[in-house]
Amino acid sequence: MLVRDAMSTVVLTIGPAHTLRQAAALMSARRVGAAVVLDPDGTGIGILTERDVLNSVGLGQDPDAERAHAHTTTDVVFATPSWTVEEAAAAMAHGGFRHLIVLDRGEPAGIVSVRDIIRLWASARVPAPQVPA
């Protein structure tokens, strides 16, 4: 099983100047747990997760004043669509994170999360429930 089979191709991209409230509203509306932060003039490609937003709010910071760039992870591990899901899971476990940006030809093509991998593994291992006739 490959990352391309598990990844979500719904990639929310935001800029570094988005406020955390704007980022959270977009993530909520798209029902995703992370946004890819594109900063072509700065750090390049980073990721902002729901945990980053939660940590900021938990510290008492103002989500209307805090900008994505201040909370973006820029030391990112990237996957490719041809990685195995086992490689992706190992990278997440080793790095202690729950989302991987999937790059194809240097561009964000998707995001794979722990939930995506579990869903793929579960569907491959658990037979579908039988509907009584």
Side-chain angles (χ1 to χ4, degrees):
M1 289 181 275
L2 302 177
V3 164
R4 75 171 45 93
D5 302 320
M7 73 183 195
S8 170
T9 57
V10 176
V11 180
L12 172 61
T13 59
I14 63 171
H18 276 79
T19 67
L20 292 187
R21 184 176 309 279
Q22 290 170 324
L26 290 167
M27 286 190 280
S28 178
R30 300 254 182 109
R31 301 179 50 92
V32 296
V36 174
V37 181
L38 298 178
D39 187 1
D41 298 326
T43 58
I45 299 174
I47 190 166
L48 179 76
T49 68
E50 57 199 353
R51 183 169 293 179
D52 297 323
V53 176
L54 183 66
N55 286 341
S56 174
V57 171
L59 291 171
Q61 296 174 334
D62 180 358
D64 292 313
E66 291 296 314
R67 301 294 172 176
H69 69 84
H71 301 276
T72 298
T73 300
T74 55
D75 184 19
V76 180
V77 175
F78 297 103
T80 68
S82 61
W83 273 24
T84 66
V85 291
E86 289 80 7
E87 289 173 308
M92 290 179 192
H94 179 73
F97 47 84
R98 298 178 298 160
H99 297 87
L100 276 170
I101 299 172
V102 182
L103 293 183
D104 192 11
R105 297 179 188 89
E107 296 294 322
I111 291 188
V112 64
S113 69
V114 170
R115 180 179 296 160
D116 296 328
I117 291 171
I118 291 170
R119 190 176 299 130
L120 182 66
W121 282 343
S123 69
R125 289 183 167 81
V126 177
Q130 298 297 315
V131 178

